[in-house]
Amino acid sequence: MVSYNKIFDSNNLDGILISNTFNVRYVSGYSADYAFVLITKQNKFYFTDGRFTIEANRDLSKDWQVIEITPTTAEQVIKNVLADNNIKNVGFDSNISHYDYVFVTEKLLAGINSTDITNEITALRAVKSDYEIDCIIKAQRIAEKSLEQVKPLIKKNMTELELCAKLEYFMKVNGSEKNAFDTIVAFGENSAIAHAKPSDRKLKVGDVILIDFGATYKGYHSDMTRTFVFGECSEEIEKLYNIVLGANEIAIDCIRSGIPPREADRVARNYLDLHRLATYFNHSLGHGVGLEIHEYPTLSSRVMTDERLQDGMVITIEPGIYIEGLCGIRIEDMIVVKGANAVNLTTSNKKLEIINN
């Protein structure tokens, strides 16, 4: 159960109005395509249109009042509820479209003292509850099971698109609500493109196979990357793989509550630099995962604030190197911060694996 007491008290609020889709899901447990949520110290209101009222009444807990609106009635209905509950000071989330921002600030909250509480909602969402971590783990297990099922089907001359389709099929069959993001499957030289799109490129002996993918469970995402070699592996690629694996492991070892997120990025980058490969590491080390695939915090050397990792944060550790014309290698695990430890939620093998089918 999400507690808003600190947000209410620190901002002297009478109510909190939420309209960002993911924040609506976070505070209520249910997300419609069109919805507003109003929370007061006594009541909870869920505003949505007729497409979603049956589901909302079914899926929301009994302390929520579902109120039907349309785009033409929303303004007056919500303003009436604000007035009926004597709301004078409102917190709102601003991470919404420009159109919605104007509607909220200039229509719904006109004449009411309003405070942007986006950062406070973001901080709340960053620290996952046991329930949220369990959902993320279940999404991860779906992804891992699907990877193991698809590996025996990897054959010479299959295309990236074909492998991608088979993997996504297994994830759906195994219970994923949808893909966590656009699946990346890249062979050989294509794997040097960090966010490669699957193509009709055919698999050849000696190719690197990079697969970055995730499942979803009850709205929560998983995220992992595994890199394989097909048929036979050159000494060069084996050496590169083991260096990236070392960067992954040393970064995980440094994770603990209280360190700046940029510190883990620095540790991994310095390790790659020792092997003269840091120049080929062209993205941040990781990011938060939850109801969105990319959440706060960002593990990047570019983040120069006083942020600190906290217990319950779920983050990725995904060092990679990308050498044009040769290959890309990325190894990504999901971690939950727990005191002085980093608990790895990813159980798939990450030692170098050569696929021979």
Side-chain angles (χ1 to χ4, degrees):
M1 201 69 174
V2 181
S3 175
Y4 318 101
N5 292 339
K6 185 177 179 181
I7 296 178
F8 272 104
D9 294 343
S10 62
N11 294 285
N12 191 30
L13 301 177
D14 304 311
I16 294 173
L17 182 67
I18 299 295
S19 51
N20 171 283
T21 300
F22 297 104
N23 289 342
V24 166
R25 177 69 177 259
Y26 178 71
V27 300
S28 71
Y30 173 73
S31 180
D33 290 345
Y34 178 67
F36 299 87
V37 160
L38 175 65
I39 301 168
T40 73
K41 291 184 177 179
Q42 292 79 35
N43 299 301
K44 297 177 181 179
F45 302 95
Y46 196 103
F47 304 91
T48 189
D49 67 39
R51 295 172 296 167
F52 305 103
T53 50
I54 294 174
E55 269 190 342
N57 278 305
R58 182 193 68 191
D59 294 347
L60 289 167
S61 60
K62 299 305 179 185
D63 54 344
W64 286 91
Q65 299 179 51
V66 177
I67 299 176
E68 186 169 332
I69 56 173
T70 68
T72 55
T73 65
E75 179 181 349
Q76 194 57 56
V77 170
I78 296 173
K79 287 175 75 170
N80 287 345
V81 174
L82 287 164
D84 290 344
N85 286 266
N86 197 32
I87 304 299
K88 304 295 184 185
N89 299 289
V90 176
F92 72 99
D93 59 342
S94 62
N95 187 17
I96 49 181
S97 70
H98 175 71
Y99 175 86
D100 288 340
Y101 182 84
V102 171
F103 179 70
V104 169
T105 58
E106 297 185 12
K107 300 290 187 179
L108 298 183
L109 301 183
I112 300 175
N113 294 325
S114 59
T115 303
D116 188 340
I117 59 167
T118 303
N119 289 341
E120 286 153 286
I121 293 290
T122 298
L124 271 182
R125 282 180 51 186
V127 178
K128 270 58 179 182
S129 66
D130 290 343
Y131 167 79
E132 291 179 291
I133 293 171
D134 185 57
C135 288
I136 292 169
I137 290 172
K138 286 177 178 172
Q140 178 60 22
R141 296 298 170 263
I142 290 169
E144 292 175 349
K145 179 180 179 181
S146 302
L147 179 63
E148 291 308 308
Q149 289 173 312
V150 83
K151 275 160 50 176
L153 305 181
I154 297 175
K155 306 288 185 182
K156 183 180 178 181
N157 289 327
M158 79 182 307
T159 67
E160 296 168 344
L161 283 166
E162 183 182 356
L163 178 53
C164 179
K166 291 179 185 295
L167 176 59
E168 291 179 349
Y169 167 80
F170 282 121
M171 284 198 290
K172 181 68 75 173
V173 168
N174 290 327
S176 178
E177 295 164 340
K178 61 180 181 178
N179 301 328
F181 51 91
D182 290 341
T183 302
I184 296 171
V185 175
F187 299 159
E189 71 286 347
N190 286 349
S191 62
I193 304 169
H195 285 173
K197 295 177 175 62
S199 72
D200 58 2
R201 204 286 199 178
K202 293 183 178 180
L203 184 62
K204 300 181 295 187
V205 172
D207 277 344
V208 160
I209 304 170
L210 189 150
I211 307 175
D212 187 347
F213 67 110
T216 56
Y217 180 82
K218 293 188 176 179
Y220 286 86
H221 296 67
S222 69
D223 192 1
M224 67 180 292
T225 307
R226 287 297 182 262
T227 304
F228 309 102
V229 179
F230 183 70
E232 59 187 41
C233 182
S234 69
E235 289 184 7
E236 180 182 17
I237 289 176
E238 181 179 6
K239 180 180 178 182
L240 293 172
Y241 185 96
N242 287 325
I243 291 170
V244 174
L245 178 59
N248 169 279
E249 292 176 336
I250 197 171
I252 291 173
D253 286 344
C254 86
I255 296 296
R256 63 186 183 279
S257 182
I259 71 165
R262 65 177 180 272
E263 178 65 14
D265 182 280
R266 185 190 65 80
V267 167
R269 211 167 291 277
N270 285 351
Y271 182 86
L272 292 174
D273 194 44
L274 288 174
H275 298 276
R276 299 180 181 178
L277 291 171
T279 186
Y280 299 108
F281 181 23
N282 56 22
H283 54 76
S284 61
L285 179 69
H287 53 86
V289 180
L291 288 170
E292 295 178 86
I293 192 59
H294 289 99
E295 293 191 350
Y296 173 86
T298 299
L299 281 70
S300 170
S301 56
R302 296 186 297 273
V303 176
M304 300 305 293
T305 67
D306 291 330
E307 299 169 6
R308 294 288 187 273
L309 294 180
Q310 299 177 49
D311 284 3
M313 286 183 169
V314 176
I315 57 176
T316 65
I317 300 294
E318 47 181 305
I321 57 172
Y322 310 92
I323 303 174
E324 186 175 1
L326 179 62
C327 71
I329 297 168
R330 181 163 68 249
I331 303 170
E332 177 183 18
D333 294 336
M334 276 197 313
I335 307 299
V336 60
V337 181
K338 191 173 183 180
N341 300 307
V343 179
N344 198 335
L345 304 182
T346 310
T347 63
S348 290
N349 169 60
K350 56 183 176 181
K351 302 295 184 183
L352 177 61
E353 186 174 349
I354 301 172
I355 294 178
N356 288 293
N357 293 329

